Amino acid sequence: MAGKIIADTIETGAGADISTSYVVNGSAKAWVHFDGTGTVATRDSFNMSSVTDRATGAYTTSATNAMASADYAWTSNASNQGAAYGAYCVEGDATGTKNFNGRTSSNVRLNTGGYTAWDDALSISSVYHGDLA
Amino acid sequence: MSTVITDKLTGKTSAGDVTITSEGGSATMQLQQGVAKGWVNFNGSGTIAARDSFNHSSLTDSGVGNYKTTHANNFSSANYTFACQGGNPSDDGTRIPTRMRDDPTTSTYGNQQFTTTAAANQDCTQVAFTFFGDLA
């Protein structure tokens, strides 16, 4: 049988302590690193069920276990190794514009681009922080 | 209120697997997977210098707007997830695209370049990297 500890605080032997709320709330609840060029391929992930390629520079990441609401924090990064220009990653909508629209408790629609247009990116990361359902 | 006093958490069934219950109580997740395995906040302008960090050993200034960070404890593979952000508050929020010049390795991340929208590299006073994945 697996052991189970129910506690409000975790304290080190040196006396430094941290509330378990920091451990639970501060832990990322889902993350994924994927290649967004060609056939989208996940390199590594946690609590992510899929990455959908919606269009050039447009993807949807879907969490396996949903968040409690759509108000969680989301951070991302996009890079194009070897490209002549950098890439950026923003939250977008189904049509690929930069407007926030349609985040759900599981899904984030994100868009990547270069400095002139939407474009696929080689390395894209998406991280969710917040409360799980 | 209860307190656990310990220097180390180790899974009983599997040493690398400690499960925590979600805030909503309906899901569980592996503690180790959700914890950031490294992060650094640094000034990338002039002589680059880390302001604060975790599991970070050194920074390399590889040129204008071009940085590499070395992890103290290595990842188990080079497939870990990263998030990075750079900016110059004095630029009034100008968009800062990034590009990766070298593949990540288990011990280093970068060279990560921060560029202007005209594709020229630029130093950033506020740079942050965060890493998630499996440590070796």
mmCIF file of all heavy atoms in Angstrom, chain A residues 4-47:
data_model
loop_
_atom_site.group_PDB
_atom_site.id
_atom_site.type_symbol
_atom_site.label_atom_id
_atom_site.label_comp_id
_atom_site.label_asym_id
_atom_site.label_seq_id
_atom_site.Cartn_x
_atom_site.Cartn_y
_atom_site.Cartn_z
ATOM 1 N N LYS A 4 0.731 7.755 2.650
ATOM 2 C CA LYS A 4 0.030 9.011 2.409
ATOM 3 C C LYS A 4 0.243 9.939 3.593
ATOM 4 O O LYS A 4 0.069 9.548 4.740
ATOM 5 C CB LYS A 4 -1.468 8.745 2.206
ATOM 6 C CG LYS A 4 -2.286 9.977 1.834
ATOM 7 C CD LYS A 4 -3.735 9.575 1.570
ATOM 8 C CE LYS A 4 -4.581 10.757 1.123
ATOM 9 N NZ LYS A 4 -5.990 10.367 0.855
ATOM 10 N N ILE A 5 0.643 11.180 3.302
ATOM 11 C CA ILE A 5 0.830 12.187 4.337
ATOM 12 C C ILE A 5 -0.146 13.319 4.079
ATOM 13 O O ILE A 5 -0.219 13.836 2.962
ATOM 14 C CB ILE A 5 2.277 12.728 4.336
ATOM 15 C CG1 ILE A 5 3.259 11.611 4.688
ATOM 16 C CG2 ILE A 5 2.422 13.901 5.295
ATOM 17 C CD1 ILE A 5 4.710 12.014 4.529
ATOM 18 N N ILE A 6 -0.914 13.679 5.076
ATOM 19 C CA ILE A 6 -1.800 14.836 4.965
ATOM 20 C C ILE A 6 -1.226 15.923 5.861
ATOM 21 O O ILE A 6 -1.153 15.757 7.081
ATOM 22 C CB ILE A 6 -3.232 14.487 5.387
ATOM 23 C CG1 ILE A 6 -3.791 13.374 4.491
ATOM 24 C CG2 ILE A 6 -4.138 15.718 5.325
ATOM 25 C CD1 ILE A 6 -5.152 12.861 4.906
ATOM 26 N N ALA A 7 -0.769 17.018 5.269
ATOM 27 C CA ALA A 7 -0.098 18.053 6.052
ATOM 28 C C ALA A 7 -0.336 19.422 5.443
ATOM 29 O O ALA A 7 -0.588 19.546 4.245
ATOM 30 C CB ALA A 7 1.396 17.764 6.112
ATOM 31 N N ASP A 8 -0.254 20.449 6.276
ATOM 32 C CA ASP A 8 -0.393 21.821 5.800
ATOM 33 C C ASP A 8 0.956 22.465 5.515
ATOM 34 O O ASP A 8 1.051 23.435 4.781
ATOM 35 C CB ASP A 8 -1.132 22.669 6.839
ATOM 36 C CG ASP A 8 -2.538 22.154 7.076
ATOM 37 O OD1 ASP A 8 -3.247 21.938 6.085
ATOM 38 O OD2 ASP A 8 -2.903 21.954 8.242
ATOM 39 N N THR A 9 2.007 21.947 6.160
ATOM 40 C CA THR A 9 3.330 22.551 6.038
ATOM 41 C C THR A 9 4.381 21.461 5.903
ATOM 42 O O THR A 9 4.272 20.415 6.536
ATOM 43 C CB THR A 9 3.661 23.397 7.288
ATOM 44 O OG1 THR A 9 2.634 24.363 7.478
ATOM 45 C CG2 THR A 9 4.992 24.116 7.126
ATOM 46 N N ILE A 10 5.383 21.724 5.087
ATOM 47 C CA ILE A 10 6.547 20.855 4.994
ATOM 48 C C ILE A 10 7.731 21.644 5.508
ATOM 49 O O ILE A 10 7.955 22.779 5.092
ATOM 50 C CB ILE A 10 6.790 20.403 3.543
ATOM 51 C CG1 ILE A 10 5.605 19.571 3.034
ATOM 52 C CG2 ILE A 10 8.074 19.595 3.440
ATOM 53 C CD1 ILE A 10 5.693 19.220 1.569
ATOM 54 N N GLU A 11 8.488 21.065 6.434
ATOM 55 C CA GLU A 11 9.606 21.775 7.053
ATOM 56 C C GLU A 11 10.867 20.952 6.932
ATOM 57 O O GLU A 11 10.847 19.739 7.128
ATOM 58 C CB GLU A 11 9.289 22.038 8.531
ATOM 59 C CG GLU A 11 10.368 22.821 9.269
ATOM 60 C CD GLU A 11 9.959 23.100 10.707
ATOM 61 O OE1 GLU A 11 8.773 23.403 10.937
ATOM 62 O OE2 GLU A 11 10.820 23.012 11.595
ATOM 63 N N THR A 12 11.970 21.623 6.619
ATOM 64 C CA THR A 12 13.243 20.927 6.547
ATOM 65 C C THR A 12 13.814 20.776 7.938
ATOM 66 O O THR A 12 13.384 21.433 8.877
ATOM 67 C CB THR A 12 14.256 21.701 5.693
ATOM 68 O OG1 THR A 12 14.650 22.876 6.393
ATOM 69 C CG2 THR A 12 13.673 22.056 4.350
ATOM 70 N N GLY A 13 14.826 19.927 8.068
ATOM 71 C CA GLY A 13 15.473 19.743 9.350
ATOM 72 C C GLY A 13 16.128 21.014 9.853
ATOM 73 O O GLY A 13 16.332 21.203 11.047
ATOM 74 N N ALA A 14 16.480 21.902 8.910
ATOM 75 C CA ALA A 14 17.123 23.162 9.275
ATOM 76 C C ALA A 14 16.115 24.202 9.738
ATOM 77 O O ALA A 14 16.484 25.309 10.104
ATOM 78 C CB ALA A 14 17.912 23.696 8.094
ATOM 79 N N GLY A 15 14.854 23.877 9.701
ATOM 80 C CA GLY A 15 13.830 24.784 10.188
ATOM 81 C C GLY A 15 13.153 25.634 9.131
ATOM 82 O O GLY A 15 12.226 26.370 9.435
ATOM 83 N N ALA A 16 13.641 25.574 7.902
ATOM 84 C CA ALA A 16 12.968 26.309 6.833
ATOM 85 C C ALA A 16 11.688 25.583 6.476
ATOM 86 O O ALA A 16 11.688 24.363 6.316
ATOM 87 C CB ALA A 16 13.873 26.407 5.612
ATOM 88 N N ASP A 17 10.595 26.311 6.393
ATOM 89 C CA ASP A 17 9.348 25.633 6.096
ATOM 90 C C ASP A 17 8.626 26.304 4.925
ATOM 91 O O ASP A 17 8.868 27.457 4.596
ATOM 92 C CB ASP A 17 8.431 25.597 7.317
ATOM 93 C CG ASP A 17 8.023 26.980 7.773
ATOM 94 O OD1 ASP A 17 7.132 27.551 7.138
ATOM 95 O OD2 ASP A 17 8.611 27.480 8.736
ATOM 96 N N ILE A 18 7.754 25.550 4.326
ATOM 97 C CA ILE A 18 6.948 26.071 3.239
ATOM 98 C C ILE A 18 5.568 25.449 3.349
ATOM 99 O O ILE A 18 5.436 24.246 3.625
ATOM 100 C CB ILE A 18 7.596 25.786 1.859
ATOM 101 C CG1 ILE A 18 6.782 26.425 0.735
ATOM 102 C CG2 ILE A 18 7.762 24.290 1.625
ATOM 103 C CD1 ILE A 18 7.474 26.383 -0.612
ATOM 104 N N SER A 19 4.561 26.265 3.194
ATOM 105 C CA SER A 19 3.204 25.749 3.215
ATOM 106 C C SER A 19 3.001 24.819 2.034
ATOM 107 O O SER A 19 3.488 25.081 0.930
ATOM 108 C CB SER A 19 2.213 26.914 3.146
ATOM 109 O OG SER A 19 0.926 26.426 2.857
ATOM 110 N N THR A 20 2.289 23.754 2.275
ATOM 111 C CA THR A 20 2.019 22.838 1.169
ATOM 112 C C THR A 20 1.198 23.518 0.085
ATOM 113 O O THR A 20 1.167 23.069 -1.056
ATOM 114 C CB THR A 20 1.273 21.582 1.651
ATOM 115 O OG1 THR A 20 0.143 21.973 2.419
ATOM 116 C CG2 THR A 20 2.179 20.692 2.460
ATOM 117 N N SER A 21 0.533 24.642 0.414
ATOM 118 C CA SER A 21 -0.216 25.358 -0.628
ATOM 119 C C SER A 21 0.731 25.891 -1.692
ATOM 120 O O SER A 21 0.370 25.990 -2.867
ATOM 121 C CB SER A 21 -1.043 26.499 -0.025
ATOM 122 O OG SER A 21 -0.212 27.514 0.478
ATOM 123 N N TYR A 22 1.978 26.238 -1.287
ATOM 124 C CA TYR A 22 2.951 26.691 -2.277
ATOM 125 C C TYR A 22 3.373 25.536 -3.177
ATOM 126 O O TYR A 22 3.625 25.710 -4.359
ATOM 127 C CB TYR A 22 4.175 27.306 -1.596
ATOM 128 C CG TYR A 22 3.939 28.712 -1.105
ATOM 129 C CD1 TYR A 22 3.490 28.937 0.187
ATOM 130 C CD2 TYR A 22 4.147 29.803 -1.939
ATOM 131 C CE1 TYR A 22 3.250 30.216 0.647
ATOM 132 C CE2 TYR A 22 3.912 31.086 -1.496
ATOM 133 C CZ TYR A 22 3.465 31.297 -0.196
ATOM 134 O OH TYR A 22 3.227 32.562 0.242
ATOM 135 N N VAL A 23 3.484 24.369 -2.587
ATOM 136 C CA VAL A 23 3.879 23.205 -3.377
ATOM 137 C C VAL A 23 2.780 22.868 -4.376
ATOM 138 O O VAL A 23 3.033 22.655 -5.565
ATOM 139 C CB VAL A 23 4.171 21.996 -2.470
ATOM 140 C CG1 VAL A 23 4.493 20.761 -3.305
ATOM 141 C CG2 VAL A 23 5.315 22.306 -1.513
ATOM 142 N N VAL A 24 1.542 22.845 -3.887
ATOM 143 C CA VAL A 24 0.430 22.465 -4.757
ATOM 144 C C VAL A 24 0.124 23.572 -5.770
ATOM 145 O O VAL A 24 -0.021 23.335 -6.966
ATOM 146 C CB VAL A 24 -0.830 22.140 -3.929
ATOM 147 C CG1 VAL A 24 -2.022 21.876 -4.833
ATOM 148 C CG2 VAL A 24 -0.567 20.919 -3.051
ATOM 149 N N ASN A 25 0.050 24.819 -5.294
ATOM 150 C CA ASN A 25 -0.288 25.918 -6.203
ATOM 151 C C ASN A 25 0.882 26.324 -7.089
ATOM 152 O O ASN A 25 0.684 26.851 -8.190
ATOM 153 C CB ASN A 25 -0.757 27.137 -5.406
ATOM 154 C CG ASN A 25 -2.128 26.936 -4.806
ATOM 155 O OD1 ASN A 25 -3.083 26.688 -5.525
ATOM 156 N ND2 ASN A 25 -2.237 27.023 -3.498
ATOM 157 N N GLY A 26 2.094 26.131 -6.592
ATOM 158 C CA GLY A 26 3.253 26.565 -7.358
ATOM 159 C C GLY A 26 3.731 25.564 -8.382
ATOM 160 O O GLY A 26 4.571 25.892 -9.226
ATOM 161 N N SER A 27 3.234 24.370 -8.346
ATOM 162 C CA SER A 27 3.659 23.368 -9.318
ATOM 163 C C SER A 27 2.935 23.574 -10.640
ATOM 164 O O SER A 27 1.739 23.871 -10.660
ATOM 165 C CB SER A 27 3.346 21.956 -8.802
ATOM 166 O OG SER A 27 4.056 21.692 -7.615
ATOM 167 N N ALA A 28 3.676 23.429 -11.717
ATOM 168 C CA ALA A 28 3.029 23.478 -13.028
ATOM 169 C C ALA A 28 2.074 22.302 -13.128
ATOM 170 O O ALA A 28 2.409 21.191 -12.744
ATOM 171 C CB ALA A 28 4.071 23.419 -14.135
ATOM 172 N N LYS A 29 0.891 22.539 -13.673
ATOM 173 C CA LYS A 29 -0.106 21.488 -13.763
ATOM 174 C C LYS A 29 -0.067 20.793 -15.122
ATOM 175 O O LYS A 29 -0.635 19.709 -15.283
ATOM 176 C CB LYS A 29 -1.504 22.050 -13.491
ATOM 177 C CG LYS A 29 -1.627 22.661 -12.094
ATOM 178 C CD LYS A 29 -1.278 21.644 -11.021
ATOM 179 C CE LYS A 29 -1.027 22.238 -9.651
ATOM 180 N NZ LYS A 29 -1.872 23.279 -9.192
ATOM 181 N N ALA A 30 0.567 21.428 -16.083
ATOM 182 C CA ALA A 30 0.731 20.806 -17.393
ATOM 183 C C ALA A 30 1.814 21.555 -18.150
ATOM 184 O O ALA A 30 1.970 22.770 -17.979
ATOM 185 C CB ALA A 30 -0.577 20.840 -18.181
ATOM 186 N N TRP A 31 2.570 20.824 -18.958
ATOM 187 C CA TRP A 31 3.544 21.480 -19.825
ATOM 188 C C TRP A 31 3.832 20.588 -21.019
ATOM 189 O O TRP A 31 3.646 19.372 -20.973
ATOM 190 C CB TRP A 31 4.835 21.840 -19.076
ATOM 191 C CG TRP A 31 5.490 20.762 -18.267
ATOM 192 C CD1 TRP A 31 5.412 20.579 -16.921
ATOM 193 C CD2 TRP A 31 6.343 19.699 -18.744
ATOM 194 N NE1 TRP A 31 6.155 19.493 -16.538
ATOM 195 C CE2 TRP A 31 6.747 18.945 -17.624
ATOM 196 C CE3 TRP A 31 6.815 19.344 -20.003
ATOM 197 C CZ2 TRP A 31 7.581 17.827 -17.728
ATOM 198 C CZ3 TRP A 31 7.653 18.230 -20.120
ATOM 199 C CH2 TRP A 31 8.024 17.492 -18.983
ATOM 200 N N VAL A 32 4.262 21.213 -22.099
ATOM 201 C CA VAL A 32 4.595 20.464 -23.305
ATOM 202 C C VAL A 32 5.661 21.220 -24.077
ATOM 203 O O VAL A 32 5.690 22.450 -24.085
ATOM 204 C CB VAL A 32 3.348 20.245 -24.196
ATOM 205 C CG1 VAL A 32 2.719 21.561 -24.635
ATOM 206 C CG2 VAL A 32 3.671 19.375 -25.405
ATOM 207 N N HIS A 33 6.556 20.476 -24.679
ATOM 208 C CA HIS A 33 7.574 21.014 -25.580
ATOM 209 C C HIS A 33 7.400 20.277 -26.894
ATOM 210 O O HIS A 33 7.461 19.054 -26.940
ATOM 211 C CB HIS A 33 8.974 20.766 -24.996
ATOM 212 C CG HIS A 33 10.100 21.170 -25.891
ATOM 213 N ND1 HIS A 33 11.374 20.676 -25.751
ATOM 214 C CD2 HIS A 33 10.156 22.027 -26.952
ATOM 215 C CE1 HIS A 33 12.168 21.207 -26.670
ATOM 216 N NE2 HIS A 33 11.447 22.015 -27.418
ATOM 217 N N PHE A 34 7.137 21.009 -27.978
ATOM 218 C CA PHE A 34 6.882 20.329 -29.249
ATOM 219 C C PHE A 34 7.517 21.037 -30.430
ATOM 220 O O PHE A 34 7.870 22.215 -30.368
ATOM 221 C CB PHE A 34 5.375 20.155 -29.470
ATOM 222 C CG PHE A 34 4.580 21.428 -29.616
ATOM 223 C CD1 PHE A 34 4.281 21.937 -30.879
ATOM 224 C CD2 PHE A 34 4.097 22.100 -28.493
ATOM 225 C CE1 PHE A 34 3.521 23.096 -31.029
ATOM 226 C CE2 PHE A 34 3.345 23.259 -28.630
ATOM 227 C CZ PHE A 34 3.059 23.759 -29.895
ATOM 228 N N ASP A 35 7.662 20.277 -31.505
ATOM 229 C CA ASP A 35 8.149 20.783 -32.791
ATOM 230 C C ASP A 35 6.919 21.153 -33.615
ATOM 231 O O ASP A 35 6.094 20.287 -33.932
ATOM 232 C CB ASP A 35 8.970 19.692 -33.495
ATOM 233 C CG ASP A 35 9.515 20.137 -34.851
ATOM 234 O OD1 ASP A 35 9.058 21.169 -35.385
ATOM 235 O OD2 ASP A 35 10.398 19.433 -35.380
ATOM 236 N N GLY A 36 6.760 22.421 -33.952
ATOM 237 C CA GLY A 36 5.568 22.884 -34.650
ATOM 238 C C GLY A 36 5.707 22.933 -36.155
ATOM 239 O O GLY A 36 4.819 23.455 -36.838
ATOM 240 N N THR A 37 6.795 22.388 -36.685
ATOM 241 C CA THR A 37 6.974 22.389 -38.134
ATOM 242 C C THR A 37 6.555 21.037 -38.707
ATOM 243 O O THR A 37 6.666 20.006 -38.044
ATOM 244 C CB THR A 37 8.438 22.665 -38.526
ATOM 245 O OG1 THR A 37 9.258 21.609 -38.024
ATOM 246 C CG2 THR A 37 8.898 23.992 -37.957
ATOM 247 N N GLY A 38 6.088 21.037 -39.956
ATOM 248 C CA GLY A 38 5.670 19.777 -40.575
ATOM 249 C C GLY A 38 4.586 19.109 -39.763
ATOM 250 O O GLY A 38 3.643 19.756 -39.296
ATOM 251 N N THR A 39 4.709 17.814 -39.568
ATOM 252 C CA THR A 39 3.787 17.098 -38.688
ATOM 253 C C THR A 39 4.178 17.388 -37.249
ATOM 254 O O THR A 39 5.273 17.052 -36.816
ATOM 255 C CB THR A 39 3.857 15.579 -38.950
ATOM 256 O OG1 THR A 39 3.516 15.321 -40.316
ATOM 257 C CG2 THR A 39 2.892 14.835 -38.045
ATOM 258 N N VAL A 40 3.283 18.026 -36.523
ATOM 259 C CA VAL A 40 3.598 18.447 -35.153
ATOM 260 C C VAL A 40 3.981 17.238 -34.311
ATOM 261 O O VAL A 40 3.297 16.202 -34.342
ATOM 262 C CB VAL A 40 2.397 19.171 -34.528
ATOM 263 C CG1 VAL A 40 2.630 19.435 -33.052
ATOM 264 C CG2 VAL A 40 2.143 20.478 -35.266
ATOM 265 N N ALA A 41 5.086 17.362 -33.586
ATOM 266 C CA ALA A 41 5.576 16.231 -32.784
ATOM 267 C C ALA A 41 5.932 16.702 -31.384
ATOM 268 O O ALA A 41 6.733 17.630 -31.217
ATOM 269 C CB ALA A 41 6.799 15.610 -33.455
ATOM 270 N N THR A 42 5.340 16.069 -30.388
ATOM 271 C CA THR A 42 5.652 16.384 -28.990
ATOM 272 C C THR A 42 6.980 15.757 -28.609
ATOM 273 O O THR A 42 7.205 14.574 -28.834
ATOM 274 C CB THR A 42 4.545 15.842 -28.067
ATOM 275 O OG1 THR A 42 3.323 16.531 -28.351
ATOM 276 C CG2 THR A 42 4.902 16.053 -26.602
ATOM 277 N N ARG A 43 7.864 16.582 -28.036
ATOM 278 C CA ARG A 43 9.155 16.068 -27.579
ATOM 279 C C ARG A 43 9.036 15.510 -26.163
ATOM 280 O O ARG A 43 9.553 14.459 -25.847
ATOM 281 C CB ARG A 43 10.212 17.165 -27.628
ATOM 282 C CG ARG A 43 10.530 17.663 -29.035
ATOM 283 C CD ARG A 43 11.755 18.577 -29.022
ATOM 284 N NE ARG A 43 12.171 18.930 -30.376
ATOM 285 C CZ ARG A 43 11.801 20.044 -30.995
ATOM 286 N NH1 ARG A 43 11.015 20.909 -30.384
ATOM 287 N NH2 ARG A 43 12.201 20.294 -32.234
ATOM 288 N N ASP A 44 8.366 16.261 -25.295
ATOM 289 C CA ASP A 44 8.156 15.806 -23.927
ATOM 290 C C ASP A 44 6.957 16.565 -23.381
ATOM 291 O O ASP A 44 6.643 17.672 -23.849
ATOM 292 C CB ASP A 44 9.397 16.068 -23.065
ATOM 293 C CG ASP A 44 9.435 15.210 -21.796
ATOM 294 O OD1 ASP A 44 8.498 14.402 -21.601
ATOM 295 O OD2 ASP A 44 10.382 15.356 -21.019
ATOM 296 N N SER A 45 6.277 15.983 -22.406
ATOM 297 C CA SER A 45 5.083 16.655 -21.886
ATOM 298 C C SER A 45 4.706 16.090 -20.533
ATOM 299 O O SER A 45 5.190 15.030 -20.128
ATOM 300 C CB SER A 45 3.898 16.497 -22.843
ATOM 301 O OG SER A 45 3.463 15.147 -22.887
ATOM 302 N N PHE A 46 3.841 16.807 -19.864
ATOM 303 C CA PHE A 46 3.248 16.341 -18.610
ATOM 304 C C PHE A 46 1.800 16.805 -18.595
ATOM 305 O O PHE A 46 1.516 17.988 -18.838
ATOM 306 C CB PHE A 46 4.005 16.912 -17.409
ATOM 307 C CG PHE A 46 3.320 16.690 -16.096
ATOM 308 C CD1 PHE A 46 3.084 15.404 -15.635
ATOM 309 C CD2 PHE A 46 2.896 17.751 -15.325
ATOM 310 C CE1 PHE A 46 2.438 15.187 -14.428
ATOM 311 C CE2 PHE A 46 2.254 17.547 -14.113
ATOM 312 C CZ PHE A 46 2.021 16.253 -13.668
ATOM 313 N N ASN A 47 0.879 15.895 -18.335
ATOM 314 C CA ASN A 47 -0.554 16.175 -18.283
ATOM 315 C C ASN A 47 -1.062 16.862 -19.544
ATOM 316 O O ASN A 47 -1.926 17.734 -19.487
ATOM 317 C CB ASN A 47 -0.916 17.002 -17.038
ATOM 318 C CG ASN A 47 -2.413 17.066 -16.793
ATOM 319 O OD1 ASN A 47 -3.147 16.129 -17.114
ATOM 320 N ND2 ASN A 47 -2.888 18.172 -16.239
#
